[in-house]
Amino acid sequence: LWALLTPLLALLDRIALLSAPPEALEAVADRLDHVAERCGPAVATYSNPAKTLAGELADALPVIWTEGTSAGPAGRRFAAALAELAGRPALVAELPEALAEHSALLAGPLAASADPEDFFRDRVEEAPALHARVVLLRDRPIGGLTAAPAARDLALGHDTPISELEPEEGDALVTLAELIATTDFAAVYLALASGA
């Protein structure tokens, strides 16, 4: 993705449609190198955010909630990567609208608490029921207000597990690159684990 996108960003900067000077592209490259070091295949699962996220999504329906400038496009890209690479559908919505759009979903049969008999399920012979898992991708919220506490309360109130990814500090292009790279790694690991 970034090998194709970098020349386009340089071109858009040159014709003044977008601000992506060489320093910004170098910062993106540095951040992508950092993500590759943290999320690479040789890094153990417990310290690898992409492997951890893939493990958490193994038997779940991803419900991706985004907050902030860079998180929206990264969330849509993550849903596309999950579908394309791992064959997994995912739902995406931006906060705070996601709270109203997905509250019925979290209260329905996809909620973790929807099947009280799951405790007695034969773990060897019976496949687990599909339950929703919220993935909260956060960047700096627009206007400084955040809906993340309400999102956590809604998910946990319906016994729905939640995973959170938040990039390190940086400008919008750098944080977008970090979120996309981390979630791309997670989609690939999920595809490998599921044999897709």
Side-chain angles (χ1 to χ4, degrees), residues 117-196:
E117 300 299 318
D118 185 61
F119 179 77
F120 300 104
R121 177 176 56 85
D122 184 341
R123 303 283 191 239
V124 176
E125 295 182 10
E126 295 178 39
L130 182 67
H131 294 297
R133 181 178 192 98
V134 172
V135 178
L136 180 57
L137 300 180
R138 297 185 63 213
D139 191 17
R140 293 170 298 251
I142 299 167
L145 298 174
T146 181
R152 284 186 208 99
D153 289 345
L154 177 65
L156 297 175
H158 291 293
D159 293 327
T160 302
I162 187 167
S163 303
E164 294 189 44
L165 283 179
E166 187 171 351
E168 296 175 10
E169 288 295 317
D171 66 18
L173 191 58
V174 171
T175 57
L176 175 66
E178 180 179 345
L179 284 171
I180 288 176
T182 305
T183 54
D184 276 357
F185 268 107
V188 168
Y189 290 136
L190 186 58
L192 291 171
S194 64

Side-chain angles (χ1 to χ4, degrees), residues 78-99:
F78 187 32
L82 286 171
E84 180 184 337
L85 299 173
R88 287 291 183 87
L91 301 171
V92 185
E94 293 189 22
L95 291 175
E97 293 82 8
L99 301 177

Side-chain angles (χ1 to χ4, degrees), residues 42-126:
V43 179
T45 302
Y46 60 85
S47 59
N48 185 326
K51 285 183 180 179
T52 300
L53 182 58
E56 292 168 347
L57 294 177
D59 295 319
L61 170 68
V63 178
I64 303 166
W65 291 346
T66 64
E67 181 176 55
T69 347
S70 301
R76 291 187 293 279
R77 165 72 184 165
F78 187 32
L82 286 171
E84 180 184 337
L85 299 173
R88 287 291 183 87
L91 301 171
V92 185
E94 293 189 22
L95 291 175
E97 293 82 8
L99 301 177
E101 289 177 22
H102 294 156
S103 63
L105 172 100
L106 297 183
L110 292 175
S113 60
D115 185 9
E117 300 299 318
D118 185 61
F119 179 77
F120 300 104
R121 177 176 56 85
D122 184 341
R123 303 283 191 239
V124 176
E125 295 182 10
E126 295 178 39

